Amino acid sequence: MFYYIVLAVGVVVSFVFCYQRRLGFSLKNLLFKSISSLCFLLTAVFALIGNSSAYIYGSLIIMGGALGLVGDILLDLKGVYKQDEKTYLKGGFIFFLVGHIFYIGALIYSIKPKWWLILIAAVVSILIGIGTVLSANLMKVHYGAYRRIVAIYVAFLAMTMLTSILCVFLTNFQKGYILMAIGSVLFLLSDVVLSNTFFGRGKDKQHHLFINHFLYYAGQYLIASSVLFVN
């Protein structure tokens, strides 16, 4: 019951934030964003209460969500306190990256796929990370001093997506892993938009900001909800 209440409240608050966020950075929007992120974290907490058999999976997802909450705050502080922009941006990258390690760990622990499947997913993820940086000119973005951390972060982001998709097939399309896979795809798409917003030109308009956060929160709520349905 509490899961559905928190989920409903969180979706409403997050949508309001997405609408407000299109107007730019502010301390008011930072507060809205913090509450929105807290709601997807609480969604995972109450999902675990409703499905205590998924204790390890749920606990790791909650840890990943908590790190994402901190990353959310740091990325908005980047816009509020522009004099420390580089510090907050790098901090955001690091917290989200570690959060994805917890997401990946939750999937691997839960399903325990064969090692060579994980190896293939890891190699493909690394190639995606490297390819993202090498294709910067083609994508008309400039990563500058962030090239290395972007490559590493994208590799972990891709690993979360590939591992979750792998789990869908290994569990014969179990609902929890389907939610996790869709969530991770939306998470990746939100970062594609975010990458253009941060490192591109002319792609930080109101609709770009709205789409970025809409995809992100949709992804995080689906990832949090997966805890309720994982066996």
Side-chain angles (χ1 to χ4, degrees), residues 128-163:
I128 291 174
I130 295 173
T132 298
V133 172
L134 293 180
S135 63
N137 291 335
L138 180 63
M139 301 300 294
K140 296 181 179 179
V141 293
H142 179 67
Y143 296 119
Y146 301 100
R147 288 168 60 88
R148 181 179 299 177
I149 194 167
V150 166
I152 296 172
Y153 173 70
V154 170
F156 279 98
L157 180 62
M159 185 65 178
T160 300
M161 181 186 69
L162 293 176
T163 306

Short mmCIF file of all heavy atoms in Angstrom, two decimals, residues 128-163:
data_model
loop_
_atom_site.label_atom_id
_atom_site.label_comp_id
_atom_site.label_asym_id
_atom_site.label_seq_id
_atom_site.Cartn_x
_atom_site.Cartn_y
_atom_site.Cartn_z
N ILE A 128 31.45 0.84 -26.14
CA ILE A 128 30.46 1.92 -26.23
C ILE A 128 30.98 3.19 -25.57
O ILE A 128 30.83 4.29 -26.11
CB ILE A 128 29.13 1.49 -25.57
CG1 ILE A 128 28.46 0.38 -26.40
CG2 ILE A 128 28.18 2.68 -25.43
CD1 ILE A 128 27.22 -0.20 -25.76
N GLY A 129 31.64 3.03 -24.41
CA GLY A 129 32.21 4.18 -23.72
C GLY A 129 33.28 4.87 -24.56
O GLY A 129 33.29 6.10 -24.70
N ILE A 130 34.19 4.07 -25.13
CA ILE A 130 35.26 4.63 -25.98
C ILE A 130 34.66 5.26 -27.24
O ILE A 130 35.04 6.36 -27.66
CB ILE A 130 36.27 3.53 -26.35
CG1 ILE A 130 36.99 3.03 -25.10
CG2 ILE A 130 37.28 4.06 -27.37
CD1 ILE A 130 37.89 1.83 -25.34
N GLY A 131 33.69 4.55 -27.84
CA GLY A 131 33.06 5.04 -29.05
C GLY A 131 32.34 6.36 -28.83
O GLY A 131 32.32 7.23 -29.72
N THR A 132 31.76 6.53 -27.65
CA THR A 132 31.06 7.78 -27.34
C THR A 132 32.02 8.97 -27.39
O THR A 132 31.69 10.02 -27.96
CB THR A 132 30.42 7.70 -25.94
OG1 THR A 132 29.45 6.65 -25.93
CG2 THR A 132 29.76 9.01 -25.57
N VAL A 133 33.18 8.79 -26.81
CA VAL A 133 34.17 9.88 -26.78
C VAL A 133 34.76 10.12 -28.17
O VAL A 133 34.93 11.26 -28.60
CB VAL A 133 35.29 9.57 -25.77
CG1 VAL A 133 36.41 10.59 -25.88
CG2 VAL A 133 34.72 9.55 -24.35
N LEU A 134 35.05 9.04 -28.89
CA LEU A 134 35.66 9.17 -30.22
C LEU A 134 34.70 9.79 -31.24
O LEU A 134 35.14 10.39 -32.23
CB LEU A 134 36.13 7.80 -30.73
CG LEU A 134 37.29 7.15 -29.96
CD1 LEU A 134 37.64 5.80 -30.57
CD2 LEU A 134 38.51 8.07 -29.94
N SER A 135 33.40 9.65 -30.99
CA SER A 135 32.41 10.19 -31.92
C SER A 135 31.93 11.60 -31.53
O SER A 135 30.91 12.06 -32.03
CB SER A 135 31.21 9.25 -32.02
OG SER A 135 30.56 9.15 -30.76
N ALA A 136 32.68 12.24 -30.64
CA ALA A 136 32.27 13.57 -30.14
C ALA A 136 32.07 14.57 -31.27
O ALA A 136 31.09 15.31 -31.29
CB ALA A 136 33.30 14.09 -29.14
N ASN A 137 33.01 14.60 -32.22
CA ASN A 137 32.89 15.56 -33.32
C ASN A 137 31.67 15.27 -34.18
O ASN A 137 30.97 16.19 -34.63
CB ASN A 137 34.16 15.54 -34.17
CG ASN A 137 35.36 16.11 -33.45
OD1 ASN A 137 35.21 16.93 -32.54
ND2 ASN A 137 36.55 15.68 -33.83
N LEU A 138 31.43 13.99 -34.41
CA LEU A 138 30.27 13.59 -35.20
C LEU A 138 28.97 14.00 -34.51
O LEU A 138 28.02 14.45 -35.17
CB LEU A 138 30.29 12.08 -35.43
CG LEU A 138 29.14 11.49 -36.25
CD1 LEU A 138 29.17 12.04 -37.68
CD2 LEU A 138 29.22 9.96 -36.27
N MET A 139 28.94 13.86 -33.19
CA MET A 139 27.75 14.21 -32.42
C MET A 139 27.68 15.69 -32.08
O MET A 139 26.72 16.16 -31.47
CB MET A 139 27.73 13.39 -31.11
CG MET A 139 27.73 11.89 -31.33
SD MET A 139 26.30 11.33 -32.27
CE MET A 139 24.98 11.71 -31.14
N LYS A 140 28.73 16.43 -32.47
CA LYS A 140 28.81 17.88 -32.24
C LYS A 140 28.75 18.24 -30.75
O LYS A 140 28.02 19.13 -30.32
CB LYS A 140 27.69 18.60 -33.00
CG LYS A 140 27.80 18.44 -34.52
CD LYS A 140 26.70 19.19 -35.23
CE LYS A 140 26.85 19.03 -36.75
NZ LYS A 140 25.78 19.74 -37.50
N VAL A 141 29.53 17.49 -29.97
CA VAL A 141 29.68 17.80 -28.55
C VAL A 141 31.17 17.92 -28.26
O VAL A 141 32.02 17.36 -28.96
CB VAL A 141 29.06 16.70 -27.65
CG1 VAL A 141 27.56 16.68 -27.80
CG2 VAL A 141 29.65 15.33 -27.96
N HIS A 142 31.49 18.66 -27.21
CA HIS A 142 32.89 18.87 -26.84
C HIS A 142 33.07 18.50 -25.37
O HIS A 142 32.64 19.23 -24.47
CB HIS A 142 33.27 20.33 -27.06
CG HIS A 142 34.69 20.65 -26.69
ND1 HIS A 142 35.77 20.13 -27.38
CD2 HIS A 142 35.20 21.41 -25.68
CE1 HIS A 142 36.90 20.56 -26.82
NE2 HIS A 142 36.57 21.33 -25.79
N TYR A 143 33.73 17.35 -25.12
CA TYR A 143 33.90 16.88 -23.76
C TYR A 143 35.09 17.52 -23.05
O TYR A 143 35.12 17.57 -21.83
CB TYR A 143 34.06 15.35 -23.75
CG TYR A 143 32.85 14.62 -24.25
CD1 TYR A 143 32.91 13.80 -25.38
CD2 TYR A 143 31.64 14.74 -23.59
CE1 TYR A 143 31.79 13.12 -25.83
CE2 TYR A 143 30.51 14.05 -24.03
CZ TYR A 143 30.60 13.25 -25.16
OH TYR A 143 29.48 12.59 -25.62
N GLY A 144 36.06 17.97 -23.81
CA GLY A 144 37.21 18.65 -23.23
C GLY A 144 37.90 17.82 -22.17
O GLY A 144 38.25 16.66 -22.38
N ALA A 145 38.06 18.40 -20.97
CA ALA A 145 38.76 17.74 -19.87
C ALA A 145 37.97 16.59 -19.27
O ALA A 145 38.49 15.84 -18.44
CB ALA A 145 39.08 18.76 -18.78
N TYR A 146 36.71 16.42 -19.71
CA TYR A 146 35.86 15.38 -19.15
C TYR A 146 35.85 14.11 -19.99
O TYR A 146 35.07 13.19 -19.72
CB TYR A 146 34.42 15.90 -19.01
CG TYR A 146 34.29 17.12 -18.12
CD1 TYR A 146 34.19 18.39 -18.68
CD2 TYR A 146 34.27 17.01 -16.74
CE1 TYR A 146 34.07 19.51 -17.88
CE2 TYR A 146 34.16 18.12 -15.93
CZ TYR A 146 34.05 19.38 -16.51
OH TYR A 146 33.95 20.48 -15.72
N ARG A 147 36.68 14.05 -21.02
CA ARG A 147 36.66 12.91 -21.94
C ARG A 147 36.84 11.58 -21.22
O ARG A 147 36.10 10.62 -21.47
CB ARG A 147 37.78 13.07 -22.99
CG ARG A 147 37.53 14.15 -24.02
CD ARG A 147 38.78 14.44 -24.82
NE ARG A 147 39.25 13.25 -25.54
CZ ARG A 147 38.86 12.90 -26.75
NH1 ARG A 147 37.97 13.65 -27.40
NH2 ARG A 147 39.34 11.83 -27.34
N ARG A 148 37.80 11.50 -20.31
CA ARG A 148 38.09 10.24 -19.63
C ARG A 148 36.92 9.79 -18.75
O ARG A 148 36.48 8.64 -18.83
CB ARG A 148 39.35 10.36 -18.79
CG ARG A 148 39.73 9.07 -18.06
CD ARG A 148 41.00 9.24 -17.28
NE ARG A 148 42.13 9.58 -18.13
CZ ARG A 148 43.35 9.85 -17.69
NH1 ARG A 148 43.60 9.81 -16.38
NH2 ARG A 148 44.31 10.15 -18.53
N ILE A 149 36.41 10.73 -17.92
CA ILE A 149 35.34 10.34 -17.01
C ILE A 149 34.03 10.06 -17.77
O ILE A 149 33.24 9.21 -17.37
CB ILE A 149 35.11 11.42 -15.91
CG1 ILE A 149 34.25 10.83 -14.79
CG2 ILE A 149 34.47 12.68 -16.49
CD1 ILE A 149 34.23 11.67 -13.54
N VAL A 150 33.83 10.74 -18.90
CA VAL A 150 32.65 10.47 -19.73
C VAL A 150 32.72 9.04 -20.28
O VAL A 150 31.74 8.29 -20.24
CB VAL A 150 32.53 11.48 -20.89
CG1 VAL A 150 31.53 10.99 -21.93
CG2 VAL A 150 32.09 12.84 -20.36
N ALA A 151 33.89 8.65 -20.78
CA ALA A 151 34.07 7.31 -21.33
C ALA A 151 33.82 6.24 -20.26
O ALA A 151 33.13 5.23 -20.51
CB ALA A 151 35.47 7.15 -21.91
N ILE A 152 34.36 6.45 -19.08
CA ILE A 152 34.20 5.48 -17.99
C ILE A 152 32.74 5.42 -17.55
O ILE A 152 32.17 4.33 -17.38
CB ILE A 152 35.11 5.84 -16.80
CG1 ILE A 152 36.58 5.74 -17.20
CG2 ILE A 152 34.83 4.91 -15.60
CD1 ILE A 152 37.54 6.27 -16.16
N TYR A 153 32.13 6.59 -17.39
CA TYR A 153 30.74 6.63 -16.94
C TYR A 153 29.81 5.96 -17.95
O TYR A 153 28.94 5.16 -17.56
CB TYR A 153 30.29 8.07 -16.70
CG TYR A 153 28.82 8.17 -16.41
CD1 TYR A 153 28.30 7.71 -15.21
CD2 TYR A 153 27.94 8.70 -17.36
CE1 TYR A 153 26.94 7.77 -14.95
CE2 TYR A 153 26.58 8.76 -17.11
CZ TYR A 153 26.09 8.30 -15.91
OH TYR A 153 24.74 8.35 -15.66
N VAL A 154 29.99 6.27 -19.22
CA VAL A 154 29.14 5.68 -20.26
C VAL A 154 29.30 4.17 -20.29
O VAL A 154 28.33 3.43 -20.49
CB VAL A 154 29.46 6.29 -21.64
CG1 VAL A 154 28.76 5.50 -22.76
CG2 VAL A 154 29.04 7.75 -21.69
N ALA A 155 30.51 3.68 -20.05
CA ALA A 155 30.74 2.24 -20.03
C ALA A 155 29.92 1.57 -18.92
O ALA A 155 29.29 0.53 -19.13
CB ALA A 155 32.22 1.94 -19.83
N PHE A 156 29.89 2.16 -17.73
CA PHE A 156 29.11 1.60 -16.63
C PHE A 156 27.61 1.75 -16.89
O PHE A 156 26.82 0.85 -16.55
CB PHE A 156 29.49 2.26 -15.31
CG PHE A 156 30.73 1.69 -14.69
CD1 PHE A 156 31.96 2.32 -14.85
CD2 PHE A 156 30.69 0.51 -13.96
CE1 PHE A 156 33.11 1.79 -14.30
CE2 PHE A 156 31.83 -0.03 -13.40
CZ PHE A 156 33.05 0.61 -13.58
N LEU A 157 27.21 2.86 -17.49
CA LEU A 157 25.81 3.06 -17.84
C LEU A 157 25.35 2.01 -18.84
O LEU A 157 24.27 1.41 -18.70
CB LEU A 157 25.63 4.47 -18.43
CG LEU A 157 24.23 4.90 -18.87
CD1 LEU A 157 23.28 4.90 -17.68
CD2 LEU A 157 24.29 6.28 -19.51
N ALA A 158 26.19 1.76 -19.85
CA ALA A 158 25.88 0.74 -20.85
C ALA A 158 25.86 -0.65 -20.23
O ALA A 158 25.04 -1.51 -20.60
CB ALA A 158 26.89 0.80 -21.99
N MET A 159 26.75 -0.88 -19.28
CA MET A 159 26.82 -2.19 -18.61
C MET A 159 25.52 -2.47 -17.84
O MET A 159 25.02 -3.60 -17.83
CB MET A 159 28.02 -2.23 -17.66
CG MET A 159 28.25 -3.58 -17.00
SD MET A 159 28.69 -4.87 -18.19
CE MET A 159 28.93 -6.26 -17.09
N THR A 160 24.99 -1.44 -17.17
CA THR A 160 23.71 -1.59 -16.48
C THR A 160 22.62 -1.99 -17.46
O THR A 160 21.84 -2.92 -17.22
CB THR A 160 23.30 -0.29 -15.78
OG1 THR A 160 24.30 0.07 -14.82
CG2 THR A 160 21.97 -0.45 -15.05
N MET A 161 22.56 -1.30 -18.59
CA MET A 161 21.54 -1.57 -19.59
C MET A 161 21.68 -2.97 -20.17
O MET A 161 20.72 -3.74 -20.23
CB MET A 161 21.61 -0.53 -20.71
CG MET A 161 20.56 -0.73 -21.80
SD MET A 161 20.76 0.40 -23.19
CE MET A 161 22.30 -0.25 -23.91
N LEU A 162 22.90 -3.34 -20.58
CA LEU A 162 23.11 -4.64 -21.21
C LEU A 162 22.87 -5.79 -20.23
O LEU A 162 22.29 -6.82 -20.59
CB LEU A 162 24.53 -4.71 -21.77
CG LEU A 162 24.84 -3.78 -22.95
CD1 LEU A 162 26.31 -3.88 -23.34
CD2 LEU A 162 23.94 -4.09 -24.14
N THR A 163 23.31 -5.62 -18.99
CA THR A 163 23.11 -6.67 -17.99
C THR A 163 21.63 -6.86 -17.68
O THR A 163 21.16 -7.99 -17.53
CB THR A 163 23.86 -6.33 -16.69
OG1 THR A 163 25.24 -6.06 -16.98
CG2 THR A 163 23.79 -7.48 -15.69
#
